[in-house]
């Protein structure tokens, strides 16, 4: 099962553990000749690294991106791209006391129950460091996203709520409310001194996303965004548009009515039937309080013995500032995937490369279908042989040809051409029998 891979058309595979040699990502199906955006990717990685933001872990990592494959003379070659970041600030001895117990709020218990073995150092694979791979990969989709603006910002941290928005107010917490920022900092300070942590709610606003992105029924845009966001450690819930508050509204209040100029409201968050409406795409997600806290808590050892445990390692008082770049990365990957798919079915605004990509995909599908046909005709041959049934069935062939001619007329295809291909296929399948 490819549980560490993500995306249909822009596929990535993430690998590595918090205290292993490196964290990395393999990206496949990237077009050749794209200028590799090393500086942008490095910038995005810097924004999520520990030891930089206020109230965040003091682990010091350079998080310098290293290219192992797929890039030549600064450009993508069309081959799989492998990017890694080596783990440097590994103080594995900090985690020695965790060897045999399950830290409350972490994935230790479930990983052990599932795999019977787990890398307890810094959370292993369940560590926030895994998200380096997502942020690195998302740097490659920027050219697809063009004018689409993605904004993620907290609307709640602990008990503090953003009431007044000043989009020019810049700070490490991405907090837009100048009026209570000082108070919020004091609050986080006091939480940190107590060794405790807080969570919060992040709001996402995606602007300039045209209508038509997302696919029925298992590839809905909201379903894919939910999976992407909920795959980030410590995210526990998501709601689109008015979300859970829709339960309090009547249909007459919740429907987004339409006039000739467009929608009159946006209770649905810019998605209907899993497809973008062209309005702002709006959703919120909740981040739980950081699991590692310097407060004594109850847990058990691997042998089931009850013990008290207090985290001694380095941890974030509030994880939100480090989650935001990761959420942005996951949103980019989901939208890039939806755009890539849309390009294959939408004949608007396509360039030569897009046309070629679409036709190559169709040729590949034809080959897959031919191969499947060959396998089935072999099975039919075996079936007939076992029962002494002759290979030729002219009555059936006449019927099939009649049907084919009807379809050719309906779709206005070239009759001679289709018949020629059909006859070749039928003769070939008799050979396979
Ligand atoms: C970027 C990032 C950084 C994180 N840093 C920490 C951390 O310093 N301390 C901590 O306890 N959890 C941290 N986490 C959260 C854990 O990875 C996560 O809560 C834990 O594995 C349990 O997983 P779950 O919340 O998905 O159930 C971080 C998550 C992310 C995405």
């Amino acid at each position: 099962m490819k549980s560490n891979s993500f995306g249909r058309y822009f596929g990535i595979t993430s690998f590595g553990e918090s205290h292993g040699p490196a964290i990395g990502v393999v990206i496949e199906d990237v077009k050749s000749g794209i200028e590799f955006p090393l500086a942008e990717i490095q910038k995005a990685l810097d924004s999520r690294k520990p030891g930089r933001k206020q109230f965040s872990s003091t682990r010091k990592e350079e998080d310098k991106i290293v290219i192992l494959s797929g890039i030549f003379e600064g450009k993508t070659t069309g081959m799989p791209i492998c990017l890694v970041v080596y783990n440097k600030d590994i103080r594995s001895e900090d985690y020695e006391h965790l060897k045999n117990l399950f830290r409350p709020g972490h994935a230790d218990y479930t990983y052990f129950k599932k795999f019977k073995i787990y890398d307890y150092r810094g959370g292993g694979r369940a560590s926030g460091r895994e998200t380096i791979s997502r942020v690195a990969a998302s740097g490659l989709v920027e050219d697809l996203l063009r004018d689409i603006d993605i904004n993620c910002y907290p609307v709640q941290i602990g008990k503090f709520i953003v009431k007044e928005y000043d989009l020019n107010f810049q700070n490490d917490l991405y907090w837009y409310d100048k009026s209570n920022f000082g108070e919020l900092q004091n609050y986080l300070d006091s939480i940190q001194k107590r060794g405790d942590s807080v969570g919060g709610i992040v709001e996402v606003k995606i602007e300039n996303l045209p209508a038509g992105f997302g696919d029925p029924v298992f590839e809905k845009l909201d379903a894919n965004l939910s999976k992407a966001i909920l795959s980030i450690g410590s995210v526990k819930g998501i709601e689109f548009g008015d979300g859970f508050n829709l339960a309090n509204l009547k249909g007459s209040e919740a429907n987004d009515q339409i006039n000739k100029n467009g929608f009159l409201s946006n209770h649905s968050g810019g998605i209907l039937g899993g497809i973008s409406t062209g309005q702002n795409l709006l959703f919120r997600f909740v981040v739980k309080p950081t699991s590692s806290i310097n407060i004594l808590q109850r847990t058990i050892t691997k042998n089931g013995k009850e013990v008290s445990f207090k985290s001694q390692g380095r941890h974030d008082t509030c994880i939100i500032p480090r989650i935001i770049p990761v959420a942005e990365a996951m949103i980019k990957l989901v939208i890039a995937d939806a755009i890539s798919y849309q390009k294959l079915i939408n004949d608007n605004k396509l360039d030569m490369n897009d046309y070629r990509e679409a036709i190559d995909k169709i040729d590949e599908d034809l080959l897959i279908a031919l191969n499947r046909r060959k396998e089935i005709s072999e099975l039919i041959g075996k079936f007939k042989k076992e029962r002494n049934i002759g290979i030729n069935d002219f009555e059936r062939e006449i019927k099939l040809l009649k049907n084919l001619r009807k379809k050719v007329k309906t779709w206005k295809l070239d009759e001679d051409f289709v018949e020629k291909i059909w006859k070749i296929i039928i003769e070939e399948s008799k050979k396979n029998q």
Side-chain angles (χ1 to χ4, degrees):
M1 189 176 50
K2 288 182 158 185
S3 66
N4 289 279
S5 298
F6 184 82
R8 286 178 301 169
Y9 288 86
F10 189 83
I12 67 161
T13 298
S14 138
F15 64 88
E17 283 86 20
S18 170
H19 283 59
I23 296 279
V25 64
V26 176
I27 312 157
E28 288 192 72
D29 300 324
V30 180
K31 280 185 197 166
S32 59
I34 297 177
E35 205 79 44
F36 183 69
L38 182 62
E40 284 80 5
I41 292 179
Q42 191 59 60
K43 199 169 148 211
L45 282 185
D46 290 346
S47 71
R48 66 142 302 290
K49 78 180 179 194
R52 180 188 157 266
K53 298 210 151 81
Q54 233 185 335
F55 307 111
S56 98
S57 155
T58 52
R59 181 170 172 170
K60 295 274 182 297
E61 286 287 2
E62 265 186 46
D63 286 355
K64 278 273 163 286
I65 197 100
V66 178
I67 302 164
L68 292 192
S69 69
I71 312 294
F72 181 63
E73 294 178 341
K75 286 194 172 147
T76 57
T77 60
M79 303 298 120
I81 295 172
C82 182
L83 307 174
V84 295
V85 162
Y86 290 105
N87 294 318
K88 297 246 169 80
D89 187 17
I90 305 172
R91 299 211 305 251
S92 299
E93 60 281 5
D94 279 1
Y95 297 93
E96 196 55 27
H97 62 292
L98 302 176
K99 214 172 182 166
N100 291 314
L101 58 79
F102 305 125
R103 292 167 305 160
H106 280 280
D108 306 353
Y109 179 83
T110 47
Y111 269 50
F112 185 70
K113 284 283 164 196
K114 186 174 176 70
F115 300 107
K116 316 288 181 249
I117 176 171
Y118 75 99
D119 183 347
Y120 56 86
R121 301 163 308 163
R125 183 81 185 126
S127 159
R129 275 191 78 64
E130 177 277 321
T131 58
I132 284 175
S133 54
R134 308 158 184 234
V135 175
S138 72
L140 273 164
V141 300
E142 295 292 346
D143 69 316
L144 277 172
L145 303 177
R146 287 183 193 134
D147 303 327
I148 298 165
D149 275 333
I150 300 167
N151 295 294
C152 299
Y153 44 90
V155 287
Q156 183 173 344
I157 290 182
K159 60 180 189 179
F160 278 78
I161 292 170
V162 172
K163 291 185 191 120
E164 291 167 26
Y165 288 81
D166 178 352
L167 304 190
N168 297 318
F169 184 49
Q170 290 196 350
N171 53 80
D172 271 357
L173 297 174
Y174 303 86
W175 190 255
Y176 280 150
D177 194 344
K178 214 191 254 174
S179 71
N180 60 10
F181 185 62
E183 258 182 285
L184 171 65
Q185 282 188 307
N186 292 338
Y187 167 72
L188 288 176
D189 229 5
S190 70
I191 298 284
Q192 192 171 45
K193 283 195 182 110
R194 273 183 263 151
D196 217 339
S197 64
V198 290
I201 296 174
V202 176
E203 186 165 88
V204 179
K205 187 177 181 186
I206 305 171
E207 292 168 289
N208 304 325
L209 180 68
F213 292 112
D215 295 280
V217 290
F218 299 116
E219 297 291 342
K220 288 180 169 180
L221 193 57
D222 38 0
N224 285 341
L225 282 168
S226 301
K227 181 169 181 169
I229 295 294
L230 287 167
S231 76
I232 303 169
S234 82
V235 176
K236 286 293 164 193
I238 187 163
E239 59 174 13
F240 288 83
D242 287 3
F244 288 99
N245 194 42
L246 285 166
N248 299 319
L249 303 183
K250 296 183 193 70
S252 54
E253 296 163 324
N255 286 343
D256 296 316
Q257 298 183 54
I258 316 172
N259 71 10
K260 61 181 176 3
N261 297 319
F263 288 93
L264 302 180
S265 57
N266 191 2
H267 298 290
S268 295
I271 301 181
L272 288 169
I275 298 171
S276 59
T277 60
Q279 296 164 280
N280 284 342
L281 200 160
L282 306 168
F283 67 89
R284 291 172 167 216
F285 63 87
V286 61
V287 177
K288 73 179 186 182
T290 319
S291 305
S292 293
I293 50 173
N294 302 124
I295 290 176
L296 214 54
Q297 295 199 293
R298 291 170 61 182
T299 187
I300 55 167
T301 65
K302 283 183 189 167
N303 298 327
K305 192 178 154 221
E306 289 190 4
V307 286
S308 293
F309 168 73
K310 181 173 165 177
S311 171
Q312 290 161 11
R314 302 154 284 177
H315 73 267
D316 294 48
T317 306
C318 177
I319 228 174
I320 285 179
R322 295 185 54 215
I323 293 267
I324 283 177
V326 182
E328 283 170 356
M330 291 311 289
I331 294 164
K332 285 178 188 172
L333 290 174
V334 171
I335 295 180
D337 214 48
I339 291 175
S340 303
Y341 188 64
Q342 189 67 11
K343 275 183 154 195
L344 297 180
I345 56 174
N346 185 359
D347 58 0
N348 290 329
K349 294 187 220 146
L350 291 183
D351 58 28
M352 197 57 197
N353 277 343
D354 297 325
Y355 285 126
R356 285 194 173 134
E357 193 179 313
I359 207 150
D360 290 352
K361 178 91 186 70
I362 290 170
D363 287 348
E364 195 182 316
D365 288 347
L366 280 174
L367 278 181
I368 292 168
L370 280 176
N371 186 45
R372 184 80 191 115
R373 197 178 195 292
K374 182 175 158 248
E375 285 169 357
I376 293 173
S377 68
E378 280 166 2
L379 290 176
I380 293 173
K382 200 168 153 224
F383 187 90
K384 284 181 172 171
K385 210 179 224 166
E386 283 166 3
R387 288 162 184 78
N388 274 330
I389 304 172
I391 284 177
N392 289 319
D393 184 345
F394 295 118
E395 224 174 278
R396 183 175 142 76
E397 278 177 35
I398 290 167
K399 238 194 235 163
L400 285 176
L401 198 55
K402 241 190 194 167
N403 240 336
L404 187 85
R405 283 184 181 137
K406 242 197 243 162
K407 280 182 187 152
V408 163
K409 259 199 194 105
T410 320
W411 291 337
K412 296 195 177 85
L413 291 166
D414 181 331
E415 202 171 318
D416 286 345
F417 171 70
V418 176
E419 258 187 48
K420 216 191 282 171
I421 291 180
W422 183 79
K423 278 182 184 152
I424 294 172
I425 290 173
I426 294 292
E427 284 315 306
E428 196 61 28
S429 86
K430 282 181 190 168
K431 271 192 227 158
N432 293 328
Q433 291 176 17

